[in-house]
Amino acid sequence: MSRVFTACLSRMKVTAAVGLVIGCGGMHAARAQYVGQVSTIVVDARSGAVLSQQDADLRRYPASLTKLMTLYLAFKAVRTGQVSFDQAIPVSAHAATMEPSKLGLRPGSRLTVEQAVLALVTKSANDAACALGEFLGGGDETRFAAMMTREAGRLGMYDTVFRNASGLPNPEQMTSARDLATLARHLIVDYGEYYHYFAVPGFYFHGHTVPNHDPMLGAYPGADGLKTGYTDEAGHNLVTSAVRDNVRLIGVVMGATSNSRRNKTMASLLDSSFQAEGVAPVPAGRPAMRPLLLARATGPSVPARHGLRLASARLHGGADQVAVFPDIPAGYTRLRRGHGAVVHAAHPAPVRAHVHLVGMGRVAHGAHSHAKARS
């Protein structure tokens, strides 16, 4: 064996060993590799065209952005009839011991599939995510994580591996900004009839209002979901979809050093991409919107069957129009069980509507509030 061949073989072994360490996601190695390095991408939801990207293929920890795949598989199970939104989910001791953010579920208790979905999109509750994952995985979260990884491969998310349903730290759970944009696009296009859940400002659960943690809702014009995520190792992550003038964009920011920097980066990227798509900037001073509020409407105008309604209203009153995405039925009227109506707010004076949010047992305000939690 020649010395050249021996040297080459030695280098290959070293390279393979280093790749194995990085590929397995050694926690400290990943943190050191990406300190101060943010990954971003913006895509056109309709065509999938990439409008902006920066280090979009770096493999990173998803944190609670993991829950987007948990929700994708939940919507898939509902669509195919494997489960229903009203079906009860048992809470195991394992699920109840998940770290915050959480609902505080007790072992042996139950919640519905719909309540779990709402808990994931609002509070990013890890106990609800684990319970939902166990339920969909036949009682085993590890089995469900394998289902998540297989689904990721089917969707073309080739840099993604899942090890749990919540996004709590696991050195082997990795993804990329590009893969998350792919997942968000599939959520919108494949399961558009359920996309409205991402825009709820909160829901009522066991005597408490659970607010939505997504800071873009009601703050960035046109934003109507999807998800935040944070752990010490992952940094501050965000996936947002926004629509203006019938153009829908999906943005991903991963590894930001703070929530404020993450939010500013996302807003700047979306603004630039909307302009690149020929969409005029939002006029200064325009009131923030509360997009696509999902509610059980109450009052004399409500049909006898109490169908679900969607409303799009400015936080300070005034008429507005519901955002329409061409590849989803107009106005997102394909709602659960086929009921729904688009409601256009046209109030001459500021109004704060009282609504029953999905999963709520009584009336609560649809206003946003913010809470710091690990998500």
Side-chain angles (χ1 to χ4, degrees), residues 178-217:
R178 190 183 309 279
D179 278 6
L180 288 170
T182 296
L183 176 55
R185 183 167 179 255
H186 276 283
L187 273 164
I188 295 168
V189 174
D190 297 351
Y191 299 110
E193 68 266 41
Y194 308 131
Y195 179 69
H196 53 268
Y197 280 110
F198 289 101
V200 298
F203 79 110
Y204 201 82
F205 184 76
H206 289 184
H208 300 282
T209 300
V210 180
N212 197 319
H213 289 177
D214 190 338
M216 304 301 282
L217 294 176

Short mmCIF file of all heavy atoms in Angstrom, two decimals, residues 178-217:
data_model
loop_
_atom_site.label_atom_id
_atom_site.label_comp_id
_atom_site.label_asym_id
_atom_site.label_seq_id
_atom_site.Cartn_x
_atom_site.Cartn_y
_atom_site.Cartn_z
N ARG A 178 -34.28 26.04 5.19
CA ARG A 178 -34.90 25.66 3.93
C ARG A 178 -35.95 24.55 4.15
O ARG A 178 -37.05 24.60 3.60
CB ARG A 178 -33.86 25.19 2.92
CG ARG A 178 -34.43 25.01 1.51
CD ARG A 178 -33.36 24.48 0.55
NE ARG A 178 -32.13 25.26 0.59
CZ ARG A 178 -31.96 26.40 -0.06
NH1 ARG A 178 -32.94 26.90 -0.81
NH2 ARG A 178 -30.81 27.06 0.02
N ASP A 179 -35.60 23.57 4.98
CA ASP A 179 -36.54 22.48 5.24
C ASP A 179 -37.79 23.00 5.94
O ASP A 179 -38.91 22.54 5.66
CB ASP A 179 -35.87 21.41 6.09
CG ASP A 179 -35.02 20.46 5.26
OD1 ASP A 179 -34.87 20.71 4.04
OD2 ASP A 179 -34.49 19.48 5.82
N LEU A 180 -37.62 23.94 6.86
CA LEU A 180 -38.79 24.47 7.57
C LEU A 180 -39.68 25.30 6.65
O LEU A 180 -40.91 25.28 6.79
CB LEU A 180 -38.34 25.30 8.78
CG LEU A 180 -37.77 24.46 9.93
CD1 LEU A 180 -37.14 25.37 10.97
CD2 LEU A 180 -38.86 23.59 10.56
N ALA A 181 -39.09 26.00 5.70
CA ALA A 181 -39.89 26.72 4.71
C ALA A 181 -40.69 25.72 3.87
O ALA A 181 -41.86 25.96 3.54
CB ALA A 181 -39.00 27.58 3.82
N THR A 182 -40.06 24.60 3.53
CA THR A 182 -40.76 23.55 2.79
C THR A 182 -41.93 23.02 3.59
O THR A 182 -43.04 22.84 3.07
CB THR A 182 -39.78 22.40 2.48
OG1 THR A 182 -38.75 22.88 1.61
CG2 THR A 182 -40.50 21.24 1.80
N LEU A 183 -41.71 22.77 4.88
CA LEU A 183 -42.78 22.25 5.73
C LEU A 183 -43.92 23.25 5.87
O LEU A 183 -45.10 22.89 5.78
CB LEU A 183 -42.20 21.91 7.11
CG LEU A 183 -43.20 21.44 8.17
CD1 LEU A 183 -44.00 20.24 7.69
CD2 LEU A 183 -42.46 21.11 9.47
N ALA A 184 -43.58 24.52 6.09
CA ALA A 184 -44.62 25.55 6.23
C ALA A 184 -45.45 25.65 4.96
O ALA A 184 -46.68 25.78 5.00
CB ALA A 184 -43.99 26.90 6.56
N ARG A 185 -44.78 25.58 3.82
CA ARG A 185 -45.51 25.65 2.55
C ARG A 185 -46.46 24.47 2.40
O ARG A 185 -47.60 24.63 1.94
CB ARG A 185 -44.51 25.70 1.39
CG ARG A 185 -45.15 25.86 0.03
CD ARG A 185 -44.12 26.23 -1.04
NE ARG A 185 -44.78 26.35 -2.32
CZ ARG A 185 -44.71 25.46 -3.30
NH1 ARG A 185 -43.98 24.36 -3.14
NH2 ARG A 185 -45.34 25.65 -4.44
N HIS A 186 -46.02 23.29 2.78
CA HIS A 186 -46.89 22.12 2.70
C HIS A 186 -48.06 22.22 3.67
O HIS A 186 -49.17 21.77 3.36
CB HIS A 186 -46.10 20.84 2.95
CG HIS A 186 -45.41 20.32 1.73
ND1 HIS A 186 -46.09 19.65 0.73
CD2 HIS A 186 -44.11 20.38 1.32
CE1 HIS A 186 -45.25 19.31 -0.22
NE2 HIS A 186 -44.04 19.75 0.10
N LEU A 187 -47.85 22.79 4.84
CA LEU A 187 -48.96 23.00 5.77
C LEU A 187 -50.03 23.88 5.14
O LEU A 187 -51.23 23.60 5.25
CB LEU A 187 -48.45 23.65 7.06
CG LEU A 187 -47.94 22.72 8.15
CD1 LEU A 187 -47.12 23.50 9.18
CD2 LEU A 187 -49.09 22.00 8.83
N ILE A 188 -49.61 24.94 4.47
CA ILE A 188 -50.55 25.87 3.88
C ILE A 188 -51.24 25.27 2.66
O ILE A 188 -52.47 25.38 2.49
CB ILE A 188 -49.82 27.18 3.49
CG1 ILE A 188 -49.32 27.89 4.75
CG2 ILE A 188 -50.73 28.10 2.69
CD1 ILE A 188 -48.36 29.02 4.47
N VAL A 189 -50.46 24.62 1.79
CA VAL A 189 -51.01 24.10 0.54
C VAL A 189 -51.75 22.78 0.74
O VAL A 189 -52.84 22.59 0.21
CB VAL A 189 -49.89 23.93 -0.50
CG1 VAL A 189 -50.42 23.25 -1.76
CG2 VAL A 189 -49.28 25.29 -0.85
N ASP A 190 -51.18 21.88 1.54
CA ASP A 190 -51.77 20.56 1.70
C ASP A 190 -52.98 20.56 2.62
O ASP A 190 -53.93 19.80 2.41
CB ASP A 190 -50.74 19.57 2.25
CG ASP A 190 -49.56 19.37 1.30
OD1 ASP A 190 -49.62 19.86 0.15
OD2 ASP A 190 -48.57 18.72 1.71
N TYR A 191 -52.93 21.38 3.67
CA TYR A 191 -54.00 21.37 4.67
C TYR A 191 -54.51 22.78 4.93
O TYR A 191 -54.62 23.22 6.07
CB TYR A 191 -53.50 20.70 5.96
CG TYR A 191 -53.10 19.26 5.72
CD1 TYR A 191 -51.77 18.88 5.78
CD2 TYR A 191 -54.04 18.30 5.39
CE1 TYR A 191 -51.39 17.56 5.52
CE2 TYR A 191 -53.68 16.99 5.14
CZ TYR A 191 -52.35 16.63 5.20
OH TYR A 191 -51.99 15.33 4.94
N GLY A 192 -54.85 23.46 3.85
CA GLY A 192 -55.32 24.84 3.96
C GLY A 192 -56.57 24.99 4.79
O GLY A 192 -56.80 26.04 5.39
N GLU A 193 -57.41 23.95 4.84
CA GLU A 193 -58.65 24.05 5.60
C GLU A 193 -58.40 24.11 7.11
O GLU A 193 -59.30 24.46 7.88
CB GLU A 193 -59.59 22.88 5.28
CG GLU A 193 -59.11 21.52 5.75
CD GLU A 193 -58.35 20.76 4.68
OE1 GLU A 193 -57.54 21.40 3.96
OE2 GLU A 193 -58.57 19.54 4.56
N TYR A 194 -57.19 23.77 7.54
CA TYR A 194 -56.85 23.83 8.96
C TYR A 194 -55.87 24.96 9.28
O TYR A 194 -55.52 25.16 10.45
CB TYR A 194 -56.22 22.50 9.41
CG TYR A 194 -57.04 21.28 9.05
CD1 TYR A 194 -56.44 20.19 8.42
CD2 TYR A 194 -58.40 21.22 9.32
CE1 TYR A 194 -57.19 19.06 8.08
CE2 TYR A 194 -59.15 20.11 8.99
CZ TYR A 194 -58.54 19.03 8.36
OH TYR A 194 -59.27 17.93 8.02
N TYR A 195 -55.44 25.69 8.28
CA TYR A 195 -54.42 26.70 8.50
C TYR A 195 -54.89 27.81 9.43
O TYR A 195 -54.07 28.43 10.14
CB TYR A 195 -53.98 27.30 7.16
CG TYR A 195 -52.93 28.38 7.30
CD1 TYR A 195 -51.64 28.06 7.72
CD2 TYR A 195 -53.23 29.71 7.08
CE1 TYR A 195 -50.68 29.04 7.90
CE2 TYR A 195 -52.28 30.70 7.24
CZ TYR A 195 -51.01 30.36 7.65
OH TYR A 195 -50.06 31.34 7.82
N HIS A 196 -56.18 28.05 9.47
CA HIS A 196 -56.70 29.13 10.31
C HIS A 196 -56.37 28.96 11.80
O HIS A 196 -56.37 29.91 12.55
CB HIS A 196 -58.21 29.25 10.14
CG HIS A 196 -58.95 27.96 10.37
ND1 HIS A 196 -59.25 27.09 9.34
CD2 HIS A 196 -59.43 27.40 11.48
CE1 HIS A 196 -59.90 26.05 9.83
NE2 HIS A 196 -60.01 26.21 11.13
N TYR A 197 -56.09 27.74 12.23
CA TYR A 197 -55.75 27.54 13.64
C TYR A 197 -54.53 28.36 14.05
O TYR A 197 -54.41 28.78 15.20
CB TYR A 197 -55.47 26.06 13.91
CG TYR A 197 -56.72 25.23 14.08
CD1 TYR A 197 -57.10 24.31 13.11
CD2 TYR A 197 -57.53 25.37 15.21
CE1 TYR A 197 -58.25 23.55 13.26
CE2 TYR A 197 -58.68 24.62 15.36
CZ TYR A 197 -59.03 23.70 14.39
OH TYR A 197 -60.18 22.96 14.52
N PHE A 198 -53.60 28.60 13.13
CA PHE A 198 -52.38 29.31 13.47
C PHE A 198 -52.63 30.78 13.82
O PHE A 198 -51.76 31.43 14.39
CB PHE A 198 -51.37 29.23 12.31
CG PHE A 198 -50.77 27.87 12.14
CD1 PHE A 198 -51.23 27.01 11.15
CD2 PHE A 198 -49.74 27.43 12.96
CE1 PHE A 198 -50.68 25.75 10.98
CE2 PHE A 198 -49.19 26.17 12.81
CZ PHE A 198 -49.66 25.33 11.82
N ALA A 199 -53.79 31.30 13.48
CA ALA A 199 -54.07 32.72 13.70
C ALA A 199 -54.90 33.00 14.93
O ALA A 199 -55.19 34.16 15.21
CB ALA A 199 -54.77 33.29 12.47
N VAL A 200 -55.30 31.97 15.69
CA VAL A 200 -56.12 32.25 16.88
C VAL A 200 -55.31 33.06 17.89
O VAL A 200 -54.13 32.77 18.13
CB VAL A 200 -56.65 30.95 17.54
CG1 VAL A 200 -57.55 30.20 16.60
CG2 VAL A 200 -55.52 30.07 18.03
N PRO A 201 -55.90 34.10 18.47
CA PRO A 201 -55.18 34.89 19.47
C PRO A 201 -55.07 34.19 20.81
O PRO A 201 -54.29 34.60 21.67
CB PRO A 201 -56.01 36.17 19.57
CG PRO A 201 -57.37 35.76 19.16
CD PRO A 201 -57.20 34.69 18.12
N GLY A 202 -55.86 33.14 21.02
CA GLY A 202 -55.81 32.41 22.28
C GLY A 202 -56.99 31.45 22.36
O GLY A 202 -57.86 31.45 21.49
N PHE A 203 -56.99 30.63 23.39
CA PHE A 203 -58.14 29.76 23.62
C PHE A 203 -58.30 29.52 25.10
O PHE A 203 -57.39 29.76 25.90
CB PHE A 203 -58.00 28.45 22.84
CG PHE A 203 -57.10 27.40 23.46
CD1 PHE A 203 -57.65 26.24 24.00
CD2 PHE A 203 -55.73 27.56 23.48
CE1 PHE A 203 -56.83 25.27 24.57
CE2 PHE A 203 -54.91 26.59 24.04
CZ PHE A 203 -55.46 25.44 24.58
N TYR A 204 -59.48 29.09 25.48
CA TYR A 204 -59.83 28.92 26.88
C TYR A 204 -59.67 27.45 27.25
O TYR A 204 -60.21 26.58 26.59
CB TYR A 204 -61.27 29.38 27.11
CG TYR A 204 -61.58 29.71 28.54
CD1 TYR A 204 -61.26 30.94 29.07
CD2 TYR A 204 -62.20 28.77 29.36
CE1 TYR A 204 -61.55 31.25 30.38
CE2 TYR A 204 -62.49 29.07 30.67
CZ TYR A 204 -62.16 30.31 31.19
OH TYR A 204 -62.45 30.61 32.50
N PHE A 205 -58.91 27.18 28.32
CA PHE A 205 -58.65 25.81 28.71
C PHE A 205 -58.62 25.69 30.23
O PHE A 205 -57.81 26.33 30.90
CB PHE A 205 -57.31 25.33 28.13
CG PHE A 205 -56.99 23.89 28.40
CD1 PHE A 205 -57.62 22.87 27.69
CD2 PHE A 205 -56.07 23.53 29.38
CE1 PHE A 205 -57.33 21.54 27.94
CE2 PHE A 205 -55.77 22.20 29.63
CZ PHE A 205 -56.40 21.19 28.91
N HIS A 206 -59.54 24.90 30.77
CA HIS A 206 -59.60 24.63 32.20
C HIS A 206 -59.57 25.90 33.06
O HIS A 206 -58.80 26.02 34.02
CB HIS A 206 -58.46 23.69 32.61
CG HIS A 206 -58.65 22.29 32.13
ND1 HIS A 206 -57.79 21.26 32.45
CD2 HIS A 206 -59.59 21.73 31.32
CE1 HIS A 206 -58.20 20.13 31.88
NE2 HIS A 206 -59.30 20.40 31.19
N GLY A 207 -60.40 26.85 32.67
CA GLY A 207 -60.55 28.06 33.47
C GLY A 207 -59.56 29.15 33.20
O GLY A 207 -59.57 30.18 33.89
N HIS A 208 -58.69 28.97 32.21
CA HIS A 208 -57.68 29.98 31.92
C HIS A 208 -57.62 30.27 30.42
O HIS A 208 -57.78 29.37 29.60
CB HIS A 208 -56.29 29.53 32.40
CG HIS A 208 -56.21 29.28 33.86
ND1 HIS A 208 -56.10 30.28 34.80
CD2 HIS A 208 -56.25 28.11 34.57
CE1 HIS A 208 -56.06 29.76 36.00
NE2 HIS A 208 -56.15 28.43 35.89
N THR A 209 -57.36 31.53 30.09
CA THR A 209 -57.14 31.90 28.70
C THR A 209 -55.67 31.68 28.36
O THR A 209 -54.78 32.17 29.05
CB THR A 209 -57.51 33.37 28.45
OG1 THR A 209 -58.88 33.57 28.76
CG2 THR A 209 -57.27 33.75 27.00
N VAL A 210 -55.43 30.92 27.31
CA VAL A 210 -54.07 30.63 26.86
C VAL A 210 -53.78 31.51 25.65
O VAL A 210 -54.35 31.30 24.58
CB VAL A 210 -53.92 29.14 26.48
CG1 VAL A 210 -52.50 28.86 26.01
CG2 VAL A 210 -54.29 28.25 27.66
N PRO A 211 -52.93 32.54 25.76
CA PRO A 211 -52.69 33.46 24.65
C PRO A 211 -51.72 32.90 23.62
O PRO A 211 -50.90 32.04 23.92
CB PRO A 211 -52.10 34.68 25.34
CG PRO A 211 -51.37 34.11 26.52
CD PRO A 211 -52.18 32.91 26.97
N ASN A 212 -51.80 33.43 22.42
CA ASN A 212 -50.88 33.06 21.36
C ASN A 212 -49.56 33.82 21.54
O ASN A 212 -49.56 35.03 21.73
CB ASN A 212 -51.49 33.39 19.99
CG ASN A 212 -50.80 32.68 18.85
OD1 ASN A 212 -49.58 32.57 18.83
ND2 ASN A 212 -51.57 32.20 17.90
N HIS A 213 -48.44 33.10 21.47
CA HIS A 213 -47.12 33.70 21.67
C HIS A 213 -46.54 34.32 20.41
O HIS A 213 -45.47 34.92 20.47
CB HIS A 213 -46.13 32.65 22.18
CG HIS A 213 -46.38 32.22 23.59
ND1 HIS A 213 -45.66 31.23 24.21
CD2 HIS A 213 -47.29 32.64 24.50
CE1 HIS A 213 -46.10 31.06 25.44
NE2 HIS A 213 -47.09 31.91 25.64
N ASP A 214 -47.19 34.12 19.26
CA ASP A 214 -46.62 34.60 17.99
C ASP A 214 -46.65 36.12 17.95
O ASP A 214 -47.73 36.72 17.87
CB ASP A 214 -47.41 34.02 16.82
CG ASP A 214 -46.73 34.27 15.47
OD1 ASP A 214 -45.92 35.21 15.38
OD2 ASP A 214 -47.03 33.54 14.52
N PRO A 215 -45.50 36.79 18.00
CA PRO A 215 -45.48 38.25 18.06
C PRO A 215 -45.84 38.92 16.75
O PRO A 215 -46.13 40.13 16.73
CB PRO A 215 -44.04 38.55 18.45
CG PRO A 215 -43.26 37.44 17.82
CD PRO A 215 -44.13 36.22 17.95
N MET A 216 -45.82 38.19 15.64
CA MET A 216 -46.10 38.80 14.35
C MET A 216 -47.59 39.01 14.13
O MET A 216 -47.99 39.91 13.38
CB MET A 216 -45.53 37.94 13.22
CG MET A 216 -44.05 37.64 13.35
SD MET A 216 -43.02 39.13 13.37
CE MET A 216 -43.00 39.54 11.62
N LEU A 217 -48.41 38.19 14.78
CA LEU A 217 -49.86 38.35 14.63
C LEU A 217 -50.29 39.69 15.23
O LEU A 217 -49.97 40.01 16.37
CB LEU A 217 -50.60 37.22 15.35
CG LEU A 217 -50.40 35.82 14.78
CD1 LEU A 217 -51.11 34.79 15.67
CD2 LEU A 217 -50.92 35.73 13.35
#
